[in-house]
Amino acid sequence: MKNPHSTLKLVSRKAWRLVSNPIFPVLTVAGNFLIAAGAFALFYFEHEINPTVKSPLDALWWAVSTVSTVGYGDVTPITPHGRVAGIVLMILGTALFWSYTALFADALLSDEMSDLESELRQIDKRLRKLNVAEDHSSEVATLVRELQRQVRDLSTHKK
C-alpha cells in the first residue's frame, strides 16, 4: 500500500498544477458569470409568470442544474426568452465542462506524459548506439532500425 504522505503529496502537486494553469481562473470566472447571468435572465423573464420560479434561489438552482447538464426538470422555462436563456446555458455549459475536463486530464496526466517522453528518448538513444555498433546487414541491425522507426512513430503520433 502506498505511503499516505506520498499520496497526499502527489494529489497536492496535481491540484496545484490544475489551479496554477492560467486558463483555470478564466474558466472559473466565466463559469460563475454564466451561471449568474442565466439565473438573472430566468428570474427576470419568468418570476411573475412561471410558478416554479418564486425566488432568485429557484433561478440559481435552475441555472446550476442546466449548466452542469443535470437538468432535474423541477424548474422549466415557459417563456420564449427563458427558453433561449436555457439553450444558451446548455450550449455554453457543455463547452465549459469540456474545458474543465481537459484541464483536469492535463493536470492528472502531464507528469506521466513527460516520463513517457523521457523513456522514449532514452530508448531511442540506446537503439542508435546499438545500430552503430552492429553490422548494418545483420538481422539485429534491421530489428534495431525497425524499433527506432516505431519509437519515432510513437513520438510523432502522440504530438
Side-chain angles (χ1 to χ4, degrees):
M1 188 164 146
K2 279 193 168 186
N3 178 355
H5 180 70
S6 65
T7 302
L8 182 61
K9 190 175 178 180
L10 175 68
V11 169
S12 298
R13 187 175 70 241
K14 300 218 181 250
W16 176 250
R17 181 175 306 241
L18 173 67
V19 298
S20 65
N21 187 319
I23 297 170
F24 183 81
V26 172
L27 284 177
T28 302
V29 169
N32 285 311
F33 176 77
L34 178 65
I35 290 169
F40 175 81
L42 186 76
F43 188 74
Y44 179 80
F45 293 122
E46 304 221 354
H47 77 279
E48 292 178 356
I49 299 167
N50 191 333
T52 61
V53 182
K54 298 176 184 101
S55 71
L57 186 58
D58 293 331
L60 180 62
W61 172 261
W62 169 81
V64 170
S65 68
T66 300
V67 166
S68 67
T69 69
V70 172
Y72 285 109
D74 54 346
V75 178
T76 305
I78 58 174
T79 66
H81 291 92
R83 289 181 176 181
V84 168
I87 290 167
V88 169
L89 278 179
M90 287 180 230
I91 293 169
L92 295 179
T94 302
L96 179 75
F97 274 93
W98 287 344
S99 300
Y100 266 115
T101 301
L103 284 179
F104 276 88
D106 179 61
L108 292 173
L109 298 176
S110 59
D111 289 339
E112 288 79 3
M113 292 303 292
S114 295
D115 292 347
L116 182 59
E117 288 173 358
S118 176
E119 286 179 40
L120 284 172
R121 283 191 298 272
Q122 289 174 3
I123 290 170
D124 189 48
K125 188 184 291 185
R126 288 183 197 142
L127 287 172
R128 287 175 196 244
K129 286 180 183 177
L130 278 175
N131 197 21
V132 169
E134 294 293 326
D135 177 19
H136 292 289
S137 64
S138 71
E139 290 180 26
V140 173
T142 304
L143 179 61
V144 167
R145 283 193 298 277
E146 177 61 22
L147 287 172
Q148 283 177 318
R149 185 191 61 73
Q150 289 176 4
V151 167
R152 276 194 305 275
D153 289 348
L154 283 172
S155 295
T156 57
H157 178 68
K158 100 181 155 41
K159 292 177 184 176

